Amino acid sequence: MKKSFSWRIFISFGLLLAFLMLLVSGVILYISPPGRVANWTDWRMLGLTKTAWANQHSIFGFAFALLSIFHLFVINWKAFFSYLKAKSAIGLKSPVELFGSILLALLFGFGTYFSIQPFSAVIDFGDNVSASWEQRDKQPPVPHAETMTLVELAQQPGLGGDAEALKAKLEKAGYTVGSVQETLADIAIRNKTTAEKIYRDIAPEKSGAKKLPSEGLGRKTLQEIADDQGISVTSLQLALRQKEIEAEPGMTLKAIAERNHIEMSELRGMIETMISP
């Protein structure tokens, strides 16, 4: 005799599979590189990108929640409410255990929020593993450059300021480009490659790192540095803003460093990286 379909067994297996997928995707996302690295280099784990793993985690999270609700309130609602009523009564008669569990939950929540040990150690370990994926020679010119359109990218130092020229250069290299309003990520997806590879084909050839003058640099304005290097001060300003450094053309480098609470040596290094092709 053929057995009828068992929703209870179906839900139980579904919860198990969803839990396993959440566990695997959660661990992978915990150790994955930052988005600026993963999206730039097309990082993959078990064949999936970081974005794909994040999507899997979200969908299986919703599936787990829906299956749990269905399991509790449809399949086992009588047993669930009876259990809840009985345990609630016991819990009220055992305030130490009840408040102990509440305090433990609060400890985990506040400990994580305020970076208290050992919770901060768990977070720091994940951050350190994530940072270890980053390779200095494969960094984007600015953070999240893959989200920039060709118009925005053309404004970066050394790229000429002409988005149409960048588009033509890519098309000459064999890529299909819809318009200058497309991002590097869009172009990379259409051409089945990475944003890093796309950028390498439009970036100016390296001719050695440029050095800023060692004397009197703090008194020079951003405009003067741009003029000295033969680049647009706007592009230099935008590149700094991408690194969360606010600067006006007429501000001296010393004033920019003080305004953004960074050392002059750090600001100098940033600008030298930006002006070097």
Side-chain angles (χ1 to χ4, degrees), residues 20-48:
L20 291 175
M21 192 61 183
L22 284 173
L23 178 63
V24 172
S25 59
V27 170
I28 289 175
L29 290 173
Y30 175 66
I31 64 171
S32 65
R36 68 178 185 277
V37 176
N39 298 331
W40 183 250
T41 61
D42 193 33
W43 175 92
R44 291 173 184 268
M45 178 72 75
L46 301 179
L48 297 182

Side-chain angles (χ1 to χ4, degrees), residues 172-241:
K172 186 177 180 181
Y175 297 107
T176 301
V177 184
S179 74
V180 293
Q181 294 299 329
E182 284 191 317
T183 65
L184 282 185
D186 293 334
I187 299 170
I189 291 171
R190 176 183 288 113
N191 292 275
K192 295 181 173 56
T193 185
T194 66
E196 178 199 8
K197 177 68 168 58
I198 296 287
Y199 180 75
R200 282 208 307 265
D201 287 327
I202 59 175
E205 294 188 12
K206 294 183 178 296
S207 58
K210 291 185 178 180
K211 296 292 184 181
L212 294 174
S214 57
E215 298 294 332
L217 184 63
R219 296 190 298 272
K220 279 185 170 288
T221 65
L222 195 66
Q223 181 71 63
E224 290 172 334
I225 290 176
D227 292 341
D228 290 343
Q229 300 299 326
I231 60 177
S232 164
V233 69
T234 303
S235 65
L236 191 55
Q237 199 176 0
L238 287 171
L240 285 169
R241 191 170 297 159

Side-chain angles (χ1 to χ4, degrees), residues 38 60 76 81 107 119 134 148 201 227 248:
F60 276 93
N76 297 305
F81 282 111
L107 175 63
F119 310 105
E134 193 162 8
M148 299 176 71
D201 287 327
D227 292 341
E248 299 298 331

